């Protein structure tokens, strides 16, 4: 029980979603410093999420969920490289 108490359940959920093929995205949640985002994503990778799924959750999946994948979320010709908000 002690080990389970210290595991981050969000990391395990991301792993499960990735393995099930469920589209999901990471969000900042309680993170207040930009430097804390990648270590938080690494927790999900350490819990078994593939690095490819983690990258997609940070980029294209997020854009798809918000309905802006035609202009954001990937590096393709025609994608908007300016800040759009």
């Amino acid at each position: 029980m002690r080990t389970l108490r210290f595991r981050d359940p969000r990391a395990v959920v991301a792993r499960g979603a990735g393995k099930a093929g469920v589209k999901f995205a990471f969000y900042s949640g309680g993170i207040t410093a930009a430097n804390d985002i990648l270590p938080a994503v690494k927790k999900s990778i350490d819990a078994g999420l593939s690095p490819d799924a983690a990258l997609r959750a940070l980029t294209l999946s997020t854009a798809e969920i918000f309905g802006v994948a035609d202009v954001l979320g990937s590096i393709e010709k025609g994608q908007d490289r300016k800040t759009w908000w």
Side-chain angles (χ1 to χ4, degrees):
M1 283 304 274
R2 187 177 305 150
T3 301
L4 291 175
R5 194 175 70 206
F6 293 109
R7 285 191 182 155
D8 187 347
R10 295 167 296 192
V12 176
V13 170
R15 177 193 67 202
K19 286 186 177 182
V22 174
K23 188 180 298 186
F24 70 97
F26 291 117
Y27 69 99
S28 59
I31 294 176
T32 57
N35 291 340
D36 294 336
I37 293 172
L38 291 180
V41 172
K42 187 174 180 321
K43 286 183 182 181
S44 293
I45 293 170
D46 292 344
L49 181 67
S50 76
D52 288 341
L55 178 60
R56 185 175 179 87
L58 286 168
T59 56
L60 188 55
S61 288
T62 304
E64 290 170 345
I65 289 168
F66 283 103
V68 294
D70 56 331
V71 293
L72 295 171
S74 65
I75 301 174
E76 295 177 20
K77 186 176 181 177
Q79 296 285 321
D80 190 359
R81 298 292 160 243
K82 303 181 292 273
T83 303
W84 60 276
W85 53 89

